[in-house]
Amino acid sequence: MKTSNHKFIFYTIEGSKIKSIFTYDIMLGTTLYYVFKALFSIEILSLIGCIVGTEAVKRLRNYKFT
């Protein structure tokens, strides 16, 4: 009889991670989208600005200033 080693992986997500995802991705992304939409009036530039701006804020938040 063949035995198999099945592993069960359990992931936990902290509430602070959910809050930061909600804050940065949804609220900041929406705000940046409408700001860029008002500035450029071009849909594709608004989308690109929203994505780039959100990622920049996330990376700057994790960046350690020395």
Side-chain angles (χ1 to χ4, degrees):
M1 182 181 275
K2 186 177 181 182
T3 61
S4 60
N5 294 330
H6 295 287
K7 294 182 181 181
F8 183 75
I9 300 173
F10 185 76
Y11 292 101
T12 59
I13 302 172
E14 299 174 0
S16 62
K17 289 289 185 186
I18 294 172
K19 185 174 78 171
S20 74
I21 289 171
F22 177 77
T23 302
Y24 289 120
D25 286 342
I26 296 175
M27 293 176 69
L28 182 66
T30 303
T31 303
L32 285 174
Y33 172 78
Y34 285 115
V35 166
F36 286 121
K37 183 73 172 172
L39 290 174
F40 300 120
S41 298
I42 300 173
E43 191 75 26
I44 193 72
L45 287 179
S46 301
L47 290 171
I48 292 170
C50 165
I51 293 167
V52 170
T54 305
E55 288 299 318
V57 169
K58 282 188 215 176
R59 290 177 192 225
L60 285 174
R61 181 176 176 242
N62 294 330
Y63 184 75
K64 303 288 186 208
F65 292 103
T66 55

